[in-house]
Amino acid sequence: MGTRVLSLVAVFTLALVAAQLKVSPGDLDARRLLVRLLLDAGSRSEAEALLVEGQAMSPQSTDLARSLAALQTERKAFMPALETLQKSLKYAQMDGAYLAFMAAQYQRLGQHVQASELLAQALEISPGNGLWQLALAVSRKALGNVSGARECA
């Protein structure tokens, strides 16, 4: 019976937050919460649609872009994920994790020049990140720059 009550509370909360978002579509906190609730309920396509709307309204909210791109990446929609990240890139120039995630999309698409540039930028922001150094080595090796790859590893 405890699980049923919890489920009813979750359904009620979801409906309440959805109603708040209808009244105030620009409420990014309500949008973030509703996305989280939908993901917890397994409604990935609905969550993705909310993130698309949110990014259109607020491209400077890079967390929305990153969350949307993550869902797209899970579906192996790498080009749409890259396009999502590109829309908010100008607001994420000092966010190494954002740049590295975007570089990963480029790598998945075999675009190692762009990936290398973004990873170098991410490493300027956060030097010493071993994962990003390894990713940069992978892209440099893919470009035939074996000595540059060794410098990263």
Side-chain angles (χ1 to χ4, degrees):
M1 182 143 127
T3 303
R4 181 181 162 102
V5 171
L6 184 59
S7 295
L8 291 174
V9 169
V11 168
F12 178 75
T13 303
L14 198 128
L16 190 63
V17 176
Q20 168 60 27
L21 201 54
K22 282 190 190 262
V23 172
S24 194
D27 184 342
L28 294 177
D29 289 332
R31 185 169 300 274
R32 288 178 182 104
L33 178 57
L34 186 55
V35 164
R36 174 59 28 217
L37 292 169
L38 288 168
L39 289 173
D40 288 347
S43 300
R44 293 183 121 38
S45 60
E46 288 179 59
E48 192 171 321
L50 279 173
L51 288 167
V52 168
E53 290 172 4
Q55 187 183 32
M57 284 188 272
S58 181
Q60 69 275 16
S61 297
T62 58
D63 64 312
L64 297 180
R66 199 176 337 196
S67 295
L68 175 56
L71 289 175
Q72 293 166 324
T73 299
E74 286 178 15
R75 293 190 291 105
K76 300 197 183 323
F78 304 127
M79 184 55 78
L82 179 58
E83 291 166 354
T84 293
L85 293 167
Q86 286 171 334
K87 289 176 187 173
S88 295
L89 178 60
K90 70 180 177 180
Y91 304 104
Q93 292 299 313
M94 296 306 297
D95 183 344
Y98 190 98
L99 299 172
F101 184 48
M102 190 169 175
Q105 304 308 318
Y106 277 117
Q107 284 181 323
R108 287 180 176 100
L109 296 167
Q111 298 178 25
H112 292 282
V113 171
Q114 297 89 335
S116 293
E117 291 170 0
L118 285 170
L119 287 163
Q121 188 178 345
L123 285 164
E124 285 179 22
I125 296 165
S126 298
N129 185 307
L131 186 58
W132 300 347
Q133 289 173 333
L134 180 59
L136 181 56
V138 167
S139 282
R140 285 183 175 172
K141 185 174 182 188
L143 293 169
N145 183 353
V146 176
S147 63
R150 282 189 193 121
E151 290 173 13
C152 297

